[in-house]
Structure formats: structure tokens, C-alpha cells
Amino acid sequence: MPVLVPGGHVFIATNPLVSYLVYEPFIQAGFEKRGEIIRVVYTLRGGDRPKNAHEEFPDITVMPKSCWEPWGLFRKPCEGRVQDNLRKWRTGGLRRISAEEPFKDLIYSLPGRGLEKELAPHPSLKPQHFLRQIVRAAVPFGHGVILDPFMGSGSTIAAATALSLRSIGLEIDRDYFQLAKKAIPALAEYVPSENGVNGTKR
Ligand SMILES: C[S@@+](CC[C@H](N)C(=O)[O-])C[C@H]1O[C@@H](n2cnc3c(N)ncnc32)[C@H](O)[C@@H]1O
């Protein structure tokens, strides 16, 4: 909260099971919840069958197989009206896809795999196809600094670099930090295909 200017946005990747626990402290801290981005992604992870009893109960699912990932969207309260905030701080809104097309809260995605995973072998790698859409929306006039306090392989930092934005990434794990230093320039050069499948290196 202290490092954000008024109207600055925060995106938080979470999952359907715990998202309410993640969101509550943000609201308590004074952020406004501005919605949720639904990343439609089928990860093929297990966990939906009764543990150690799946043969006994073959027709049972213990919770719905998740096919989406919620990204909580929060905003530091604006100073005055949105238009005043946009003029003064260059924040308060999200960047549209184009003048005709809004930024939407449903984004079709894929797990980070293939060439991207080779460039950045982190267990929870997020794909450039998705992250560049988020990063672009987060700074409505293309000004400002992208901060990722849990950067993993540095994929968000790479997305910011690809969009010529300044960024800061923090990572507690030394090995992942070293991985990020190598992966960021490589991922920034990565060119995702239109639908996010099988991108190429520039
Ligand atoms: C879900 S991963 C991020 C993955 C990243 N989005 C990517 O695409 O590679 C979260 C990362 O946060 C790191 N982390 C956890 N606690 C942290 C802390 N207190 N400060 C900095 N990094 C932390 C973990 O080591 C892990 O690499």
C-alpha cells in the first residue's frame, strides 16, 4: 500500500479454494476490490478423487476439478474522482485492448509449458501470453513500475521488459533468483502465438 500511488492496481494470482482468505487482508488494509480476472486454464493436476480410496469410490469427485484460476484485482483508493486521478497520477483505470474493446475479466490461457518451460523451469510458471495482457492493463498510460514481490522465474518481470516497462522483482529462494536472472531476458524475447500455443524465440 505505501509504495502505490493513489489508483494503483494490484493483481493477485490465487486459486478457488483459498482466494477468499487471500482477499480479506487486502480489504482490511484499505484496498478496494475491483473484481476478479478469470484465467481459464486446465492444468490436468490430480486431487479430485478420494485420497487412497479412489478405487473404492470410482464415481466420486471430492471437489470440482478446477479449470480456472482467480486473479484478485484491487485498487488503492483514488484521490478525488477517477478522471482527476487519471490526470494527476496516471492511474485509477486499466488500459483497454483498444478504444473500441475493453479489458475483460475472462482470459483463455494455457499452463506455462513447451519452449517457455524450457527457458524458465519453475513449477508455477505463468505464460507470457497471459502475463503481458495483465501487465499492459495494469499501467493505463504505459508509465510506472511493475512490482512482483514473488517473482519465481521472473515471468512478470519478463512481460514488463517485453512491453518496455520498468520493473522490480523479489524472490526469496536463491536458486529461483538465479534462474530468474537467466530466464528474464530469454522470456522477454519469447514471442507467444496468437492463442498462446507454441510461441517462438525472437
Ligand atoms: C507461485 S511462485 C511465482 C511464479 C511466477 N509467477 C512464475 O511465473 O515463475 C511464488 C514464488 O514466491 C517466492 N516467495 C515465497 N515467499 C516469498 C517472500 N516472502 N519473498 C519473496 N519471494 C517469496 C517463492 O519462492 C516462489 O518462487
Side-chain angles (χ1 to χ4, degrees), residues 39-43 69 107-113 116 125-130 193 195-198:
R39 176 182 170 220
V40 180
V41 60
Y42 191 61
T43 58
E69 189 177 81
I107 302 180
Y108 288 91
S109 182
L110 288 167
R113 55 161 83 119
E116 273 190 280
L125 175 70
K126 308 285 183 201
Q128 290 296 301
H129 179 259
F130 175 76
S193 65
N195 59 7
V197 191
N198 296 329

Side-chain angles (χ1 to χ4, degrees), residues 14-65:
T14 176
N15 70 53
L17 198 58
V18 300
S19 57
Y20 72 103
L21 295 172
V22 179
Y23 297 161
E24 191 53 36
F26 267 80
I27 294 161
Q28 294 296 328
F31 282 95
E32 300 166 333
K33 186 157 188 285
R34 299 292 297 167
E36 235 173 2
I37 310 301
I38 304 304
R39 176 182 170 220
V40 180
V41 60
Y42 191 61
T43 58
L44 294 173
R45 262 191 231 129
D48 59 313
R49 292 179 180 277
K51 205 169 181 182
N52 301 326
H54 60 276
E55 282 173 7
E56 190 180 349
F57 303 105
D59 296 328
I60 303 298
T61 270
V62 288
M63 61 177 291
K65 180 96 184 151

